[in-house]
Amino acid sequence: GAAIRMTPAQWVQCDIRSLDYKVLGKFAVIMADPPWDIHMELPYGTMSDLEMRSMDIPTLQDDGYLFLWVTGRAMELGRELLDLWGYQRVDELIWVKTNQLQRLIRTGRTGHWINHAKEHCLIGKKGNVEHLNRGIDCDVIVAEVRDTSHKPDEVYGMIERLAPGERKIELFGRHHNVQPNWVTLGN
């Protein structure tokens, strides 16, 4: 087979709320871990539901996948946003959080009623995705919790297998999220 083209990782420190997305071009995959306002005290600033709805996500993609991390009350808003931004929800990824001993986390920081030991990532598709792979990975990742907003490395490998060599962008990323073939936006 043809060699997969790898581009260097790119980090852009910015306020995503005010960035003109048109300057970035189009991407085959978007992954976002928004700072949802989940009505809890968090170690970072959050965005209101209205700010989330007004994001110009459709500008970033004509054809491809959106991976949208959601938690708690953001689950329903996430589904609404997929629809608002022009995506059809096609799947969901679950990250089961473990500690260093690979035991289930039982004292998570999130959860109003019970502690959350998992995160959900809604997967939406837009346009024609026939040129991208599918059905090659499991919908559950079991991985250790690390820094705040540090998603498991396995998700990047999974996305690379879905869209090998394609342009990818991560919104609300951090320095520890930077990966080859990805443009990472965050602060």
Side-chain angles (χ1 to χ4, degrees):
I4 295 174
R5 182 188 54 164
M6 296 297 280
T7 57
Q10 297 177 47
W11 164 256
V12 179
Q13 183 167 343
C14 63
D15 184 342
I16 292 174
R17 296 170 297 186
S18 59
L19 182 68
D20 179 3
Y21 296 154
K22 292 180 189 84
V23 302
L24 299 170
K26 304 290 182 179
F27 296 87
V29 176
I30 300 168
M31 182 166 67
D33 183 20
W36 304 104
D37 182 3
I38 57 173
H39 306 304
M40 294 181 72
E41 195 163 318
L42 298 169
Y44 50 82
T46 60
M47 287 177 62
S48 72
D49 294 359
L50 182 60
E51 287 177 305
M52 295 298 303
R53 287 183 184 99
S54 65
M55 290 183 65
D56 192 18
I57 300 300
T59 298
L60 294 171
Q61 189 173 64
D62 294 327
D63 302 297
Y65 293 111
L66 170 62
F67 287 73
L68 184 61
W69 289 96
V70 296
T71 184
R73 72 169 280 283
M75 188 92 59
E76 294 309 314
L77 177 58
R79 288 185 176 111
E80 175 192 326
L81 291 175
L82 284 178
D83 187 54
L84 178 70
W85 294 335
Y87 291 84
Q88 172 191 358
R89 190 177 75 83
V90 294
D91 223 324
E92 184 174 318
L93 177 66
I94 303 294
W95 170 25
V96 177
K97 298 178 174 185
T98 63
N99 62 20
Q100 291 176 331
L101 302 173
Q102 292 299 301
R103 293 199 173 114
L104 194 63
I105 294 288
R106 298 189 185 280
T107 56
R109 279 195 337 250
T110 60
H112 288 286
W113 312 109
I114 56 177
N115 286 321
H116 294 174
K118 65 181 179 356
E119 280 191 42
H120 298 256
C121 183
L122 303 176
I123 303 171
K125 78 172 183 109
K126 179 180 178 186
N128 182 1
V129 295
E130 296 304 314
H131 64 290
L132 301 175
N133 296 322
R134 61 187 214 186
I136 56 175
D137 277 290
C138 178
D139 64 349
V140 177
I141 294 174
V142 177
E144 185 179 331
V145 170
R146 298 176 290 184
D147 300 325
T148 298
S149 298
H150 199 161
K151 299 306 179 215
D153 293 336
E154 291 87 344
V155 75
Y156 297 97
M158 177 185 292
I159 290 172
E160 189 60 41
R161 288 185 293 278
L162 284 171
E166 299 280 347
R167 290 190 81 213
K168 299 164 192 75
I169 188 167
E170 181 169 3
L171 305 176
F172 308 104
R174 309 270 174 135
H175 283 286
H176 54 238
N177 300 74
V178 176
Q179 301 281 324
N181 277 358
W182 287 79
V183 174
T184 303
L185 305 180
N187 57 21

